[in-house]
Amino acid sequence: MGRIDFDLCWEEMKQFTSRRTNDSQDEIWLVEHNHIYTQGLNGKDENILKENNIPIKKIDRGGQVTYHGPGQLIFYFMVDIFRMNLSVSNFIVALENVIINTLAGFDIESFGNRSAPGVYVENKKVASIGVRIKKGRSYHGLALNFNNDLAPFDDIHTCGIPGLEVTSISKINKTIQRLTLIDSMLSSAQREFGYRSIKSLN
């Protein structure tokens, strides 16, 4: 979907989810956003360490505060988790696995964290996960740091964890191409969720 205003995308996610039926196909939306901090439902204001010119938006996903910006790959998973017989916790683990298995294909070792959902490389966070489940259907998803500015993370306790460092794919391996990574992510999602195929709507 390219770069899209966060508020517009958020509203479209909610509308898509409210219109779904039991026969609706799942969708994965790949977007980028302009600079913004998003604060989850239980987000604590003390996790905003310093005000800057980046807007802060309180939204309806789980988790604490994180940053979105150009160069970050955001995958919104519009998934019927009831149809897949997935619990919320198992769904989050599945999202982590999508990233972990993708990075393994580039010889990057990474891991998830049950107490702080997301994916880490050498204890630095490379991807954040936050979802909303409504009537068994998910929206929001994961944000993978690809080639984005990491400085805005300095002004927050990322995901509510003091001292948590972040990294990006471009810092780990500069040779990985954006489109190659995207294709690998979608292939990993197809395997993880058992989709017969993933078809582009563009």
Side-chain angles (χ1 to χ4, degrees):
M1 298 172 69
R3 192 179 301 182
I4 185 171
D5 176 77
F6 179 84
D7 284 345
L8 174 61
C9 190
W10 183 23
E11 184 60 34
E12 289 186 0
M13 283 193 289
K14 289 187 286 188
Q15 290 183 11
F16 174 87
T17 302
S18 68
R19 291 194 303 264
R20 292 193 67 155
T21 69
N22 291 336
D23 297 322
S24 297
Q25 288 188 325
D26 293 340
E27 294 191 4
I28 302 171
W29 297 2
L30 173 59
V31 306
E32 289 188 18
H33 293 312
N34 293 320
H35 304 280
I36 189 168
Y37 293 117
T38 61
Q39 179 85 293
L41 284 169
N42 299 315
K44 298 177 181 178
D45 290 341
E46 56 260 38
N47 290 321
I48 309 293
L49 302 178
K50 177 183 174 183
E51 290 190 8
N52 52 37
N53 60 353
I54 299 175
I56 303 167
K57 190 79 175 180
K58 293 191 175 182
I59 62 171
D60 60 348
R61 60 160 173 79
Q64 296 285 329
V65 64
T66 194
Y67 162 75
H68 298 310
Q72 190 181 59
L73 299 178
I74 302 174
F75 294 81
Y76 289 134
F77 280 76
M78 324 296 283
V79 173
D80 190 329
I81 70 169
F82 278 6
R83 187 165 60 198
M84 290 189 173
N85 294 315
L86 288 174
S87 66
V88 176
S89 59
N90 286 340
F91 175 56
I92 291 172
V93 170
L95 293 178
E96 290 177 342
N97 288 341
V98 168
I99 306 168
I100 291 167
N101 293 332
T102 296
L103 297 186
F106 295 100
D107 295 322
I108 299 171
E109 184 177 352
S110 61
F111 61 93
N113 187 333
R114 298 288 67 73
S115 61
V119 175
Y120 302 77
V121 176
E122 296 181 347
N123 292 316
K124 296 179 181 180
K125 197 162 198 175
V126 72
S128 298
I129 293 175
V131 299
R132 170 77 171 181
I133 308 297
K134 190 171 184 180
K135 297 182 179 179
R137 283 92 182 232
S138 73
Y139 58 102
H140 296 297
L142 64 88
L144 176 62
N145 295 331
F146 175 63
N147 190 28
N148 49 298
D149 183 9
L150 300 180
F153 288 103
D154 293 340
D155 291 340
I156 61 173
H157 285 324
T158 302
C159 303
I161 303 174
L164 177 63
E165 294 184 72
V166 296
T167 189
S168 66
I169 299 300
S170 64
K171 284 185 172 295
I172 298 166
N173 184 337
K174 296 181 183 298
T175 67
I176 298 175
Q177 299 297 307
R178 182 178 182 275
L179 290 179
T180 303
L181 182 63
I182 290 170
D183 285 344
S184 296
M185 284 283 289
L186 293 176
S187 294
S188 182
Q190 181 177 343
R191 292 190 299 271
E192 185 68 28
F193 292 104
Y195 295 129
R196 290 189 297 272
S197 63
I198 293 182
K199 178 178 66 175
S200 173
L201 298 180
N202 293 333

